[in-house]
Each structure stands twice: as structure tokens, then as C-alpha cells.
Amino acid sequence: MDVAASLGVEFRYFEDRVPGRFLLPEVMGGGVAWIDLDLDGWRDLYFTNGASLDPAAGEPAVTAPRNRVFLSRRSQQFTDVSAISGADDGGYGQGVAAADYDSDGFTDLFISNYGNDVLYRNNGDGTWTNVTQVAAIGDPLWSTSAVWLDLNDDGFPDLYCANYMDVTLSNSEPCLYEGRAGYCGPGKFNGLRDSVWVSDGMGGFRDGVAELGLTAPASKGLAICAVDLDRDLRPEIYVANDMEANLLFTRTAATEVPATATAVWRELAGSAGAAVSGDGLNEASMGIAAADYDNDGLVDLYLTHYYQMKNTLYRNLGNLLFEDNSLRSGVAATSLAFLGFGTVPLDFNRDGRQDIFIANGHVLGPAIEPNAMTPQLLQNDGRRFRDVSAQAGPYFVDAWIGRGVSAGDFDNNGSADIAVSHIDRPVSILQNRTKIESAWLGIRLARTDRRSCCGARVRVTIGDQTTEQSLSAGGSYLSTNDDRLLFFGPVNADAGTVEVTWTDGSVSTCKLAVNQHYHILQGRDPVGAVP
């Protein structure tokens, strides 16, 4: 059920589309983030917004569009605080990546733009300060998705930002599709090298690409995810590239690290089987949904792709080896009629298996059909995925041009809800109203030293149902998901056993009453996270 209007969330991404111009950013959309910005236990919303793409044209006739911040009032209503937040950037917004980069306990925001990026430091009083120049972070490239991660093991979050293509007003022109003008695809433009900024621990950053070995040929990055793919409690970095080979970075063994570096990464997507399709073809990768879809303890990778090209499910075989399981799993058959962007894993029916939501919509322009498309909900039965969109509610019957997607439990009832940003239409908030009785636990992890917990594993048993999840960062398309993990069990259970394997290898176990969200701080007793 789309409840955006009833919650007071009124926002439409401004793409600045100009008839006859065909500048590609006009159809790529913006990102969404579910984040607890004021630490009250309820998830707030951040949306990136577009801006004027032609500097010579000046500002639009209406009030200049800016990014938007909505604070939750215990899920009953959201208040637009953009104007007083200080975090309402006026650049051409693409992605939003959230993390506490300065370890003060408050969530900061990196905004990737078509143009100069922005870093906002959370002041802890409901406002943010633009510290981009002071921090020496960001660049003027077309940046898309970004993720915060401690890349050199010094305890401070660093940033990996995917960059897309060198698209400008001067090199853009329409392409013809059966005589009709539309936007040109990625084959017409050169790709860009991704950017890496390493924290100095004092609020500043430096270029870390060469230092850390995060080098790769220029490509066309649209999505990124940091997730532990080999169960060593240290996340890998996976980058989805548009019609270029995808990238997979992992840390080298300690014996391979040269004395001049604190940590070095190497790229191995090709040898891992996760660079191209099983047929050896580059695919138009737009979004990533990383989860353990077959419950074998290994995180798999689901990627959205172009119209009449299958979406891809890379099944994790262990030891950083993958196989294209798209045909056997059923995801190929469900995707050929769609062009996917943002995508998230979620257990919408509380059966202990991760399902998939996909926002769809074409990119060639309104003159070429199909353009708007219905979104999809894929139900996982443990062996195959089945498209159940027709039974998922009115939103799934309508056609949209979907882009950024974020999953989060905004009403704190134990079900993952979804926020979606579109082209041409307002944003939607899809409240999960699936009528399935079950017990549940929500788990948020943190460390006393405020280091990242990305890579930690959580194993939960509720009644006779045991499931495990690995904490990841990034994913989807241009967006940031709720950082809490949800677990389910039989409705008659009154407690669950939680086992956390932390990134340092230590293990903690506790028993918790069900139907609550908890904040688990390493070395401390869990506390209820919602007042």
C-alpha cells in the first residue's frame, strides 16, 4: 500500500528534462535513504533531487529544487525539515551514502552528484554542515552510488564512490530508434574511473586508489555493495557496471601486503565468475540486491539489467566463486520484459527466505515504448523465484519509471517497507501489510569504538526456525537501506536466541523477547531500540 501522501511525504524528483536535449542524466533519477537521523529509534527519509543541467539557463522559473529531508514522528507522520536542516544540497543529486564518518555518534551524509559531490557533517542538533572543502572529498565527475567502509583497517570510515560516464552538454545528441529520437546508451560515451577517499582520522580525506590497490580500468559504475562474500568477516566490494564487466575487490592476504601500504585490495570478478553473464556477455547492471537467497550461509548477488536482457542471480559457491544461476532460479524468465533499476532483498512474507523487490522503467525517453513499467515482487520458495506482483497491491498494477529504492521498517512493526523514487511522478512509500502472523526480532549492531560492523554475521533462532544474515552496506541503486536486520519465527514463540559473530571474530549470545527492535553494542547487554 502506497502511504506516502497520508504520511505527509510529498516529493517528486526534478530531472530538468528539456524537449529535444537528450542529456542522459535527465532519465537516471535519484536516490533514497532510510536513516535514523535524530537517534529517536524511528527511520527518517532523505531524497536526492535534480537541478538545472544547463548553467547558462540559470535557475528554473520556480523555486530551485533541492534535496529533501523528512523526519519521522513515530511513523504516524513525516515532517519536511529540508529548509532548516542545512543538508538540502542544490546540486544535481544522484546517490546518498550514510555513515558516522567522524565517530561522534551521529549519521553523516555523502551526496554523489552529476557534478561536485557534497559531504554533510551531522551537528547532532538536527542540522548539518557542508564540510566538503574542509574534508577535501568529492570531485566534479558524474558520481552515482557510494559506500562507506574502513578500507585500510585504521578504524575510520573511508569512501568508495562509483563513477559513470563523461556525459556533457557538448557531447550529447539524440539517437534514433526506428526513426524516433531517444537517449543514447552507454556505448556512445567513455566510462570513468571510480573514486576512493581515505580518512586521515581528523576529518580530512586523501585519494586512496593507488595506495590501496583499488585500481581498475575506467568503467561505467551505477551500483555498489560492501558485503562479506567468503565468510571471513571482512567485506568485499562489488561494483555493478553498465555494459562493462563488473568489479569485485577483496583484500589480499596479509603476507602479500607491501610495507608501503596498510591494506591492499585486488580485483578478481573475472576469475570469480561475477564479472559477466554465464554466457560471457557484459550486462547493463543497474542495481544490486545482495542476500543469502538459498540459506546456505553464503551471500548471493542479484543484479538488475536492461530491457529484453535477463536480470542475473550469481549463486555464491564459496571461496569467492560464483555461477550464473538466473535460468535455474527463475529470475531470467521474470525479467525479460522489464528494465530494472533499484532492487532490495526483503522477507515480505516472513518465511525465513529473502524475496526481491525491483523498480522498473525504461531510459530511452517517452517517445519510445515501453517507457513506464510495472514494478515487481519476486517470492522465493527456496528453489525458484515466482513473480507475485499481481497480488501485491495497487502500486504493482500501475506503470512507473522507477529508479532509487530503499528498504526499511519505518513503522517499527517488524516488516520491511519500501521507499521508491520515480521519474515523472512523486515518490512512493510502500507499507508492508502482508497478513502473516509470526514472531520477529529486529537487530542493529554497533561497536563501542564506533567502528563499522559491516561483515558481522547474526544467527537467530526463533522457535524451530533458524536464519543467518551478514551485515552489508550499500546495494540497490543510488540508495541507503535501513541498517537493521529482521528475523522471523513461529507466532507462538516468546523469545529468540541471537548469536553475533563480530568482525574481530568474537562471538556473543543472548536471549531476547520477540516482537521488538534491539540495539546490540559489542560487549554490552542488548537494549530495546524503540521508545
Side-chain angles (χ1 to χ4, degrees), residues 135-154:
I137 195 171
D139 58 39
L141 302 176
W142 185 355
S143 302
T144 54
S145 299
V147 66
W148 291 96
L149 186 68
D150 184 1
L151 297 169
N152 58 358
D153 297 324
D154 66 353

Side-chain angles (χ1 to χ4, degrees), residues 38 40 42 44 71-79 81:
D38 53 2
D40 67 348
W42 298 85
D44 311 299
L71 288 186
S72 172
R73 303 306 182 195
R74 295 178 177 261
S75 85
Q76 301 303 311
Q77 198 75 15
F78 284 76
T79 301
V81 297

